[in-house]
Amino acid sequence: MGREVAESCVDGVIMEMVSAYCNRFYSSQPELAARRIEAIGFQVGHQLSERYTMERPRFADHLEAIKFICKDFWSELFKKQIDNLKTNHRGTFVLQDNQFRWLTRISIDASPDNVDASQQDSSLPTPNNAAQFTSMHLYFPCGIIRGALTNLGIPCAVSADISNLPACELPGLHLNYGLLTSIPMLTVHYHSCY
Amino acid sequence: MANTACFIIVSRNDIPIYEAEVGSAPKEEAAHQHQFILHAALDIVQDLAWTTSAMFLKAVERFNDLVVSVYVTAGHTRLMLLHDSRNEDGIKSFFQEVHELYIKILLNPLYLSGSRITSSHFDTKVRALARKYL
């Protein structure tokens, strides 16, 4: 079913999408831009999960679905699997990717010459800026994961955290109905309704 | 070889998003009955779907000489077929091909997930597949 596209095109589209939403559409409202990007990711994740689960049997429980995300889904998207999966057995999952593919092309250097192409303002990137800048790029994959899991029957909230580029502690899944508690790190709180 | 067949796709929210009479013997007066049987079978499918991890649930219910076969996707979308033929392999292939068509519909960014499938192209293809496999 699929045709192939060069990976640089994918990188380009994502960079331009983040740049467009952050700097042009909602330049004064970064939270709104983040929500829109995450919503785009949600729909993409929904579609991708349906596509990648076509050939395989359905999932018996939530853990299997999460493992599918960590292995098959991640390899389809990023050509590698999740490096580390932790859980507190109460609905919180921490996925850790030590080399997050979509962040490897982003360089935040101190010198203005090497500013990443999608960063349009010419201010010097401070560490604070860098973190905010890269966190914008993480909303899309968070949305993808949330869309995929929601389609597989697990409503959740996903957040991401980066320690140092390009290692990235990947999304924490909040499987929480209604309440969205603030997260210190990536933790998922899950209250089963079954 | 005339056979009756009624095919519906039910989304995860239990909303039918596609219906078609695909049998080669069109029985307009019984179409509402077919729909009724299929909807009534949804409860059984609900229970059965959690007992197995397979997608193709084969025959879940019988009504007179009609059989309901169901195919459940990972996103809990149910493809249900009411038929009187006994060709199980053909039915499984039919479901798999329709599943692929359904994914193509889903991949359309303008398609709202869970809404009715209105594409005439999809309709034509499903009927062609039904003629081929059923």
Side-chain angles (χ1 to χ4, degrees):
Chain A
M1 178 192 318
R3 296 194 196 112
E4 293 185 347
V5 174
E7 193 179 348
S8 52
C9 294
V10 177
D11 285 338
V13 164
I14 294 171
M15 280 200 297
E16 184 55 34
M17 170 179 71
V18 174
S19 156
Y21 274 95
C22 292
N23 301 336
R24 299 210 310 269
F25 298 161
Y26 302 109
S27 50
S28 56
Q29 301 155 291
E31 315 84 31
L32 208 51
R35 291 242 314 254
R36 295 287 295 176
I37 295 173
E38 210 259 354
I40 296 174
F42 183 83
Q43 190 181 8
V44 172
H46 191 282
Q47 295 163 331
L48 285 181
S49 73
E50 195 72 53
R51 188 161 146 190
Y52 295 147
T53 53
M54 192 178 133
E55 300 293 332
R56 48 164 303 139
R58 294 183 290 121
F59 303 111
D61 63 4
H62 292 184
L63 185 58
E64 278 193 25
I66 303 260
K67 289 203 294 201
F68 162 76
I69 298 282
C70 291
K71 293 186 183 164
D72 301 322
F73 195 74
W74 218 256
S75 357
E76 293 274 5
L77 275 180
F78 306 116
K79 299 196 180 130
K80 64 186 287 286
Q81 298 186 353
I82 281 282
D83 296 306
N84 203 349
L85 171 69
K86 293 178 253 199
T87 176
N88 74 349
H89 296 290
R90 272 185 287 283
T92 304
F93 293 91
V94 181
L95 281 67
Q96 187 166 337
D97 188 337
N98 294 331
Q99 178 104 11
F100 190 51
R101 200 173 180 94
W102 288 349
L103 291 181
T104 53
R105 304 276 180 269
I106 294 181
S107 65
I108 313 283
D109 287 11
S111 66
D113 298 323
N114 297 354
V115 161
D116 186 279
S118 70
Q119 190 174 2
Q120 295 197 349
D121 56 306
S122 54
S123 60
L124 269 175
T126 65
N128 211 11
N129 256 356
Q132 195 199 18
F133 174 68
T134 17
S135 72
M136 271 304 175
H137 282 262
L138 287 175
Y139 282 111
F140 186 60
C142 284
I144 291 182
I145 293 164
R146 187 169 75 90
L149 282 174
T150 307
N151 192 35
L152 297 175
I154 309 176
C156 60
V158 182
S159 64
D161 194 30
I162 41 169
S163 55
N164 50 315
L165 291 168
C168 152
E169 289 124 43
L170 237 280
L173 308 160
H174 286 265
L175 303 177
N176 201 329
Y177 294 84
L179 276 192
L180 196 59
T181 58
S182 67
I183 2 126
M185 219 198 126
L186 311 166
T187 44
V188 179
H189 301 291
Y190 158 62
H191 299 295
S192 171
C193 70
Y194 297 121
Chain B
M1 185 188 70
N3 63 340
T4 27
C6 180
F7 175 65
I8 66 170
I9 301 179
V10 183
S11 74
R12 62 181 306 126
N13 302 321
D14 297 328
I15 300 173
I17 57 179
Y18 178 75
E19 290 160 317
E21 285 277 339
V22 298
S24 52
K27 289 192 339 192
E28 289 309 323
E29 67 278 5
H32 61 278
Q33 193 186 48
H34 293 170
Q35 199 186 51
F36 183 74
I37 299 169
L38 280 171
H39 288 310
L42 274 176
D43 282 335
I44 302 178
V45 174
Q46 195 75 337
D47 292 330
L48 217 57
W50 299 115
T51 64
T52 171
S53 68
M55 284 193 160
F56 181 46
L57 295 184
K58 300 192 187 175
V60 304
E61 183 176 316
R62 283 171 179 74
F63 179 83
N64 296 346
D65 60 339
L66 297 171
V67 180
V68 179
S69 296
V70 180
Y71 179 96
V72 188
T73 72
H76 212 57
T77 305
R78 284 141 289 181
L79 314 181
M80 304 177 68
L81 182 70
L82 178 71
H83 58 94
D84 57 4
S85 64
R86 291 291 177 268
N87 180 10
E88 220 175 73
D89 287 328
I91 291 170
K92 184 170 183 179
S93 318
F94 172 71
F95 277 139
Q96 280 168 342
E97 301 248 355
V98 176
H99 187 193
E100 206 171 302
L101 283 178
Y102 171 66
I103 291 182
K104 285 190 185 149
I105 294 273
L106 261 190
L107 290 177
N108 180 358
L110 301 176
Y111 170 72
L112 183 61
S113 173
S115 63
R116 292 196 70 87
I117 297 178
T118 53
S119 158
S120 58
H121 182 71
F122 180 80
D123 189 50
T124 318
K125 281 235 148 129
V126 167
R127 290 181 194 280
L129 283 174
R131 279 195 299 275
K132 180 175 164 193
Y133 286 113
L134 296 177

